[in-house]
DNA sequence: ACCTGAACACCGTTCAAGT
DNA sequence: ACCTGAACACCGTTCAAGT
């Protein structure tokens, strides 16, 4: 496991993750065999297992990659001047950047998350962190008089995250295109949820 | 497959579904082997395959059972006098009746749904139907002057369903207990989303 | 028809052997 | 260290054989 050539190690592992992600999208996590992953990565089983502990370890690597992307999407919200507008923009950014393959892969990962306690802890921690960040942003919005002060920041953040997760699941079921249409209603919902009564006119 | 004794057939199949559900909750759909399911059902592999076409066919049976339960939960909404109050009550009912095992099982099923096109069609149809029913209920609420008329009924219904699905996923991640706490915020969100401005004050 | 359990093709992972 | 591929234990499903 310890490598003498850390660069090669990292490079090979990235190749394996990429090949595996493609296989998982095409066939699903369990239907894709390690033989398939090995073939896609152009390595023998032994070589793959030299860089990766197990099939689950591959999922762990992909989760870590996805978390970085999610963090990037949420970052602008934390120090936005106008939280609601920034949140609308984030929804648009998600809808614009997400592909059907991404949706399938992350659903596949969510499912596997349930089975591996350490993966579940990883996912729960990521969600908690996101909720905490969003909560801070909501507090700021309240301080600015933009968000209704009767809302509990962290719980409201969780509600918003639940909404996003649910929309993504619907996009997975019905296809990524329908999300664009659904977004109008979702944005309206977010505005009405958060805005102070005077502003909501 | 054709049975000479339909009653026995149905009884045995129900036994298999129940035993399988328990195994899937304990170990996950893919980690639970048919050998495990056979042992839990007290039958030999050949016998199980006499009543069930495949491992996936078991999932199909469980989905059909779950859809009946969901329909029961939504029914009161369609002809409720006060939609928002009825929706709050439905959220409470879901939170009260759901167990950690239910959550795990339905997440397990959702994941498998992605892999089998016919299962996905089944799930999509069920969601569409629920959205349609909710949409009608929202239209009625609008006609009564209880729900803001600027909301598009069916899209709003989809948004509400997305919110519920997201909350259930969070409950799966963080445990069923946290949902009770989260519910306060979720209900508040629903009220603010739907209520006409005069009422929301 | 209903049931059994051995048998088949295939899976994730390991490990002796090479370089 | 890095890589190979045969080998191991196990999987979902089938099927000849019993009743």
């Amino acid at each position: 496991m310890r490598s003498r050539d850390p660069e090669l190690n990292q490079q090979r592992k990235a190749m394996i993750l990429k090949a595996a992600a493609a296989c998982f999208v095409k066939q699903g996590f369990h239907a894709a065999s390690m033989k398939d992953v090995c073939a896609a990565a152009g390595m023998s089983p032994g070589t793959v297992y030299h860089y990766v502990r197990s099939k689950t370890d591959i999922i762990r690597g992909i989760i870590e990659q996805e978390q970085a992307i999610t963090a990037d999407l949420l970052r602008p919200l934390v120090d936005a001047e106008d939280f609601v507008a920034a949140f609308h923009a984030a929804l648009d950014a998600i809808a614009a950047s997400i592909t059907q393959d991404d949706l399938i892969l992350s659903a596949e990962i969510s499912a596997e998350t349930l089975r591996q306690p350490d993966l579940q802890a990883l996912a729960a921690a990521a969600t908690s962190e996101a909720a905490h960040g969003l909560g801070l942003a909501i507090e700021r919005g309240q301080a600015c008089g933009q968000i209704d002060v009767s809302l509990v920041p962290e719980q409201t953040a969780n509600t918003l995250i639940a909404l996003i997760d649910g929309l993504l699941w619907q996009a997975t079921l019905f296809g990524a295109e329908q999300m664009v249409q659904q977004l109008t209603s979702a944005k309206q919902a977010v505005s009405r949820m958060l805005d102070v009564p005077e502003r909501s006119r």
Side-chain angles (χ1 to χ4, degrees), chain A residues 48-90:
Chain A
V48 166
Y49 276 91
H50 184 76
Y51 293 104
V52 142
R53 233 177 294 272
S54 67
K55 205 180 179 185
T56 301
D57 195 43
I58 296 178
I59 289 273
R60 198 185 341 269
I62 297 177
I63 289 183
E64 283 160 4
Q65 287 178 349
E66 289 202 345
Q67 283 179 358
I69 296 172
T70 308
D72 287 346
L73 275 168
L74 288 180
R75 214 182 315 284
L77 291 178
V78 178
D79 37 36
E81 288 171 40
D82 182 336
F83 178 82
V84 173
F87 198 84
H88 285 188

Side-chain angles (χ1 to χ4, degrees), chain A residues 60-188:
Chain A
R60 198 185 341 269
I62 297 177
I63 289 183
E64 283 160 4
Q65 287 178 349
E66 289 202 345
Q67 283 179 358
I69 296 172
T70 308
D72 287 346
L73 275 168
L74 288 180
R75 214 182 315 284
L77 291 178
V78 178
D79 37 36
E81 288 171 40
D82 182 336
F83 178 82
V84 173
F87 198 84
H88 285 188
L91 287 176
D92 284 329
I94 292 171
S97 68
I98 215 91
T99 67
Q100 190 70 18
D101 282 1
D102 292 332
L103 288 169
I104 291 174
L105 185 60
S106 65
E108 209 67 45
I109 285 171
S110 296
E112 201 49 28
T113 271
L114 281 180
R115 285 299 127 212
Q116 309 288 342
D118 59 327
L119 293 187
Q120 179 161 351
L122 206 68
T127 304
S128 289
E129 203 182 331
H132 186 71
L134 263 188
L136 289 179
I138 290 172
E139 274 181 39
R140 270 203 27 170
Q142 289 176 323
C144 300
Q146 203 208 349
I147 296 176
D148 195 308
V149 289
S150 73
L151 301 170
V152 181
E154 193 135 353
Q155 282 188 7
T156 305
N158 270 324
T159 302
L160 289 176
I161 290 174
L163 180 60
I164 294 179
D165 283 346
L167 289 172
L168 287 175
W169 171 246
Q170 282 184 2
T172 311
L173 262 191
F174 295 109
E177 328 81 44
Q178 82 96 45
M179 194 176 173
V180 179
Q181 198 185 349
Q182 184 59 34
L183 230 51
T184 320
S185 165
K187 286 185 198 170
Q188 200 178 10

Side-chain angles (χ1 to χ4, degrees), chain A residues 21-44:
Chain A
C23 290
F24 296 165
V25 166
K26 228 176 290 173
Q27 320 185 47
F29 176 70
H30 280 94
S33 72
M34 283 303 277
K35 213 181 147 191
D36 296 327
V37 173
C38 293
M43 306 177 196
S44 73

